[in-house]
Amino acid sequence: MNNLAKIRILSTGRYIPKRRVLNQELTEWMDTSDDWIKKRTGIQSRYLSTGEETSDLCSKAADKIVSNGGVRVEDIGLIIVATMSPDSQSPSVASKVQAHLGAVNAVAFDLNAACSGFIYALSAAEKMLRHMSHSHALVIGGEVMSKVVDWNDRKTAVLFGDGAGGVMLERNTDTEHFISEDMKTDGSRGEALVSGLSTVSNPIFEGKTANGFLTMDGREIFNFVIKSIPMSIQSVMADQKLTVDDIDQFILHQANARIIESVSKKIKCPIEKFPMNIQHYGNTSAASIPILLDELNEQNKLFTDKKQKLILSAFGGGLTWGTLLLEIN
């Protein structure tokens, strides 16, 4: 890495739909309760789109990221949007963000690794930017999960929310934020979380059609996460000969408070090092980590007077998971 250009996170930003939906409101159309949801997930509310598409959320988050970084749009050479709920298969959400910004020099594409998407996208953008002619890359996680869940299924519908967040990466000569990573996929267990199923349909074949709603084996996902994520975190720490005492914050995908608490116990690290906002937003899939990053930035807990070692870790459909070790100041 010493011979390569250095990459740092320059700015953050987020956009959340205005409509907040408390747990109690969900009881109006499904068999659930505020107590049931809070005890099992830690979620108290979520924000749902009232018509804004994924590209709308991502474009508004992009405006804030660009403004916060003081970046000229013509200097952006890459836009990656991590999403499992795009407006359409084509054009991509990233293409719409590029058009919205007028970032005419940017290569733009979507990446789908479900809830791991932002980690995958950040890893990909960091590597691509090192070799590009332009100096900045925009990485966004954005979801309108409310359009892919079955609102008659309380096991999944109560979990998810809508939102977008992201970061601006900058190539420079002084500061390197990306230290180590561990990225994994296990396609053999992919059926544990399925969304947007599209079946063969043409004039010469008649078969069953699918509704495309998200389905999830919650127990399988829980068991997968509490085994795989601690191992992934320990792998990146071991790579740099670090312990949990050396890490300032563990920023995990906000899927379930019980999962985060279980990971904390598994790696023997105080839960105070695991910031959480799932109580406010629910599971926003690929958007959850960048939304949390921007909140921490607003609270002056991201860029501080001293260098911080951060671990970002996410897990999702595929099955996919990944962990990044960053050192920022």
Side-chain angles (χ1 to χ4, degrees), residues 4-5 9 15-16 145 148 163 183 229 272-273 291 299 324:
L4 297 175
I9 295 175
Y15 177 78
I16 309 298
M145 294 299 293
V148 303
M183 314 292 282
I229 292 301
E272 288 75 20
K273 285 192 175 187
I291 288 172
Q299 297 162 12
L324 298 174

Side-chain angles (χ1 to χ4, degrees), residues 301-315:
K301 295 178 181 177
L302 193 60
F303 300 102
T304 63
D305 293 336
K306 70 178 186 70
K307 284 188 176 182
Q308 282 199 92
K309 289 184 173 65
L310 308 178
I311 280 184
L312 279 54
S313 192
F315 46 88

